[in-house]
Amino acid sequence: MLYELGFRSPFKEIKVCRGIDEVIQYCEEWQEKRDSYPYEIDGMVVKVNDISLYDRLGVTSHHPRWAIAFKFKARQATTRIINVVFQVGRTGAVTPVAKLEPVEIGGVTVSSVSLINEDFIKEKDIKIGDLVLVERAGDVIPYVVKVITEARKGDEKPIQFPKNCPSCSSPLVKPPGEVVWRCININCPAQVVERIIYFASKDAMDIRGLGEAIVRRFYRLGFLKSIPDIYRLPYEKIKQLEGFGEKSVENLKKAIEDSKHRPIHRLITGLGIRYVGKVTAKTLSEHINCVEELKDWSVERLGTLPDIGYVVAKSIYDFFHNEQNIEMLHELKSLGVETCEEKEKKVEHILDSKSFVFTGTLHCCSREVAQEIVERLGGKATSSVSRKNNPSCCWRKSQLKVEKSPAVRSGNHR
Ligand SMILES: [Zn+2]
């Protein structure tokens, strides 16, 4: 319908293919044709078109198995490295970034590229002044493929890695076995800004209107010196700033107010604990009612959770045993940010007044986990058969949507 109404849509390009060979042929055809297209495309989506197969194919933790993207070959170009600067990230990692003579790759002008770390520079033997082959891997992030060594004139300069943080000047450290130099000063301005940006980002607290540029600006103005400052912004002063009006300040205020009531996994993500992304944050939130409870978890106990190994467990433990972090949590809480959530409320009680007995080996999980799922859904799990057991306990997986249960979410529940 959108196509008929004149919107740009891939309606004309959609093709039903019979068998994978035809799919591959069609993808390759478009890889050739992409340059003749009026706008940039970076791949195609291949989908199973029989809806009845969707359930059988299932889903992984982040994508359905009945749809997959085919990415076109990355585009490449050669250009020269003018200079190398060093950026400090949220976790203190120092990343070398090469400034390039601007070059167009697949419709986008690339003027800088990450050189990842010191080992990468050594391995590729990259120098300032070098001509390099750059590609946009996945057509998004630029990457140095190699140095065109034949083009060297002899005046290229080696890249000197700094010994001190470019933001706060504290000495950089590189723990044995790691490849990244880090600034370990927790109050390092560059890191503080990155942490605030991350806290407000879409994956974390999702505060619209508090994007990277605004955070940097507020930081420079002294409005934002820490994460809790987000909830103490001087709106009257912000109204006076260029680019801000009554309306946009109202919107910002509302977005910030709303963020106080996000599910706690978003808050955990936003804390920026090293190695804890949104998936691990969800896992943690499933096992607690309040974020503060994590203070009492030992490394061993954290390690019993799914997909949390020693390094991650240790990092979480360390975070919750750092006074400054606990202080920040208290501050957030006193400013109205919810650190607890009611678990029961979120579950549909679809098994109310039904009782279940699990016997033998289950396909999905242990009997304990199955009992837990039933209980979370409002049912009763008993240990022996009685007249009260519900005789028909057969239902489709799709009816068993419990966001809080990893066993169900993994899609292999029967
Ligand atoms: Zn620093």
Side-chain angles (χ1 to χ4, degrees), residues 9-17 26 30:
S9 95
F11 175 72
K12 259 195 316 186
E13 291 80 6
I14 288 173
K15 184 183 172 187
V16 178
C17 298
Y26 196 56
W30 267 101

Side-chain angles (χ1 to χ4, degrees), residues 165 167-168 170 183 188 191:
C165 173
S167 173
C168 71
S170 21
C183 167
C188 169
Q191 292 176 55

Side-chain angles (χ1 to χ4, degrees), residues 88 92 94 164-170 172 182-185 187-191:
V88 187
V94 175
N164 296 81
C165 173
S167 173
C168 71
S169 304
S170 21
L172 299 180
R182 261 172 222 288
C183 167
I184 52 167
N185 170 15
N187 297 314
C188 169
Q191 292 176 55

Side-chain angles (χ1 to χ4, degrees), residues 372-387:
E372 214 183 288
I373 294 168
V374 163
E375 279 161 9
R376 265 199 224 124
L377 292 169
K380 273 208 175 67
T382 54
S383 49
S384 60
V385 182
S386 77
R387 249 183 303 163

